[in-house]
Amino acid sequence: MTSYRKGKRNRFTLIGVLLLSVMLLSSCSPTDVLAFLAGCKKGTTAASGSDGSNVQASFDKAHYTPPKANPNPLIERAVRWAEATALDDSHGYSQARRNSLVDFDCSSLVWFAYKQAGLPLGDGWPFTTWTMGGILKGLGFQEFTWSGNPTDAASKLQRGDVLVDPVEHTEMSAGGGLFVGARHACPGGIEDGRSGDQCTTGNEEIGIGPAYQTRMTMVYRYTGGDKPANSPTTPNKPTTGSTSAAWTCQTTGNGNGAVNASYTGNGVHASPADAKGIARQQLRNGYKQWADDTEFQCLVWVWDRESGWRWNATNPSSGAYGIPQALPADKLAAAGSDWKDNSGTQISWGLNYIRDRYGSPCGAQSFWRAHNWY
């Protein structure tokens, strides 16, 4: 091996550093450079954001280094907890298990991050993207808007800021132009039926990196103290039983997900995929005017947000129940005595409700978009 004098070796090292700097500044975005300096590397895969944009691979779990800490210990605890959850493959994305402390959806990740940090969020069901703004403001967060432009993230946002698109998504700013959030099940949608992160590196279910979508223009910044009164230190495990409706955090376009169109079971305790198959069959058999894919997609969109197509989805506040979220719950009995357990019975009632009240699933979707309920 050729031996070099120390001065020449140092000179070559300096040249290498300068070349690397030029390479980064000429071929990478500011976010890429920040990620590189923070110990991340750009991956080779990409995910599609809910707005159709291309989202670069999130981060290298083995080398992630958090950006500069927030001086408020409460905020820093919240972000560190969210980052640790993202770095741990035993945690993944799920709307059905959003209160399990194993898997999370976008809003429950934020809820638990600040709950364990010390905010007095209580022991109820985690907030949703529709309700979190008012709750956060009541706990000392200041609300403001920003452009959503990724190039402004490093200068306009602080570590711990909560970004919200009330229609479907929320994440936390990790600082330095990076974000941490529960983004999607694997390979997509709101449920993959398995706990933990099933995705390959670069497309994590709970990820750190550029914002998953750019419509999160509502920002909530904590301005309270670092030790709120009567605040819990750790979140409680949820009780077993029926689960809450999942109205938000949809991150894959129309949210169709898996549909078992060939389902032939009796409908009892049907999975979300089987329930969608039942609905498609009922539309084709009894509602031929809605048999086209457009109306089915509208129906999927509405009930994704109402219940995630879960037969036992229960709104903990109102008591609305089942796939169509009937209120009161026993209205479902009009379609059959097995309404508590049978997805087919619930769907039958829900389709009649939509026909009588909105004329069609797309009519129900239009009303839901305007009023956040149907």
Side-chain angles (χ1 to χ4, degrees):
M1 178 178 292
T2 304
S3 175
Y4 293 93
R5 294 193 304 274
K6 182 177 181 180
K8 182 177 289 187
R9 185 169 61 249
N10 289 342
R11 187 161 59 252
F12 285 145
T13 300
L14 177 59
I15 292 172
V17 170
L18 291 174
L19 288 174
L20 177 61
S21 300
V22 171
M23 177 190 70
L24 286 171
L25 294 175
S26 63
S27 62
C28 301
S29 69
T31 302
D32 292 332
V33 175
L34 287 168
F36 181 89
L37 295 176
C40 305
K41 65 181 181 181
K42 186 175 179 180
T44 57
T45 60
S48 178
S50 59
D51 59 354
S53 61
N54 194 44
V55 181
Q56 292 180 353
S58 53
F59 66 118
D60 180 359
K61 291 185 177 182
H63 300 95
Y64 176 72
T65 301
K68 183 179 178 180
N70 190 295
N72 185 318
L74 184 147
I75 298 175
E76 186 62 20
R77 287 195 299 270
V79 184
R80 285 295 181 113
W81 184 91
E83 288 172 327
T85 302
L87 292 166
D88 185 348
D89 282 341
S90 68
H91 300 292
Y93 186 102
S94 171
Q95 282 198 353
R97 297 181 298 279
R98 67 191 302 265
N99 198 28
S100 67
L101 288 176
V102 176
D103 294 333
F104 306 87
D105 67 1
C106 63
S107 51
S108 70
L109 181 73
V110 175
W111 165 281
F112 282 117
Y114 269 105
K115 180 180 174 69
Q116 67 79 38
L119 283 187
L121 285 163
D123 297 324
W125 206 263
F127 49 41
T128 71
T129 56
W130 288 110
T131 63
M132 61 193 298
I135 294 172
L136 290 175
K137 287 192 290 184
L139 291 170
F141 284 75
Q142 177 187 3
E143 179 186 83
F144 63 96
T145 61
W146 80 300
S147 65
N149 188 337
T151 61
D152 293 338
S155 61
K156 300 293 179 62
L157 300 175
Q158 297 179 8
R159 185 168 167 86
D161 287 351
V162 178
L163 285 78
V164 182
D165 167 12
V167 174
E168 60 183 7
H169 196 53
T170 179
E171 296 193 2
M172 295 173 65
S173 169
L178 301 177
F179 301 83
V180 55
R183 297 176 167 179
H184 57 83
C186 189
I190 60 174
E191 184 60 49
D192 55 31
R194 293 178 291 177
S195 296
D197 193 337
Q198 313 300 323
C199 288
T200 57
T201 299
N203 191 30
E204 286 80 5
E205 296 189 19
I206 304 177
I208 302 174
Y212 193 77
Q213 55 111 306
T214 59
R215 295 194 303 271
M216 298 181 294
T217 55
M218 298 300 300
V219 183
Y220 298 89
R221 177 173 296 166
Y222 184 66
T223 57
D226 62 343
K227 295 181 180 179
N230 302 319
S231 60
T233 57
T234 57
N236 295 325
K237 286 286 186 178
T239 56
T240 57
S242 59
T243 55
S244 172
W247 303 278
T248 58
C249 302
Q250 176 59 38
T251 59
T252 55
N254 60 29
N256 184 24
V259 179
N260 183 9
S262 61
Y263 176 75
T264 58
N266 61 9
V268 174
H269 296 185
S271 69
D274 291 340
K276 291 174 186 177
I278 293 171
R280 185 179 281 281
Q281 293 170 22
Q282 288 195 18
L283 287 176
R284 289 174 174 171
N285 293 333
Y287 300 85
K288 295 187 182 299
Q289 71 276 26
W290 301 345
D292 68 308
D293 192 61
T294 299
E295 292 292 344
F296 177 67
Q297 295 297 340
C298 288
L299 182 68
V300 168
W301 189 97
V302 172
W303 285 350
D304 267 348
R305 283 153 177 78
E306 287 293 316
S307 64
W309 289 81
R310 290 175 287 112
W311 60 271
N312 62 342
T314 305
N315 186 312
S317 300
S318 68
Y321 183 80
I323 292 171
Q325 287 290 280
L327 182 67
D330 59 8
K331 279 186 176 181
L332 293 166
S337 60
D338 57 352
W339 61 271
K340 290 184 179 179
D341 300 283
N342 195 307
S343 296
T345 300
Q346 295 177 5
I347 290 167
S348 178
W349 182 91
L351 291 177
N352 283 328
Y353 170 81
I354 287 173
R355 180 195 60 196
D356 295 343
R357 189 175 180 91
Y358 303 106
S360 70
C362 289
Q365 183 193 51
S366 295
F367 186 91
W368 204 104
R369 285 185 183 276
H371 300 86
N372 308 329
W373 60 275
Y374 84 126

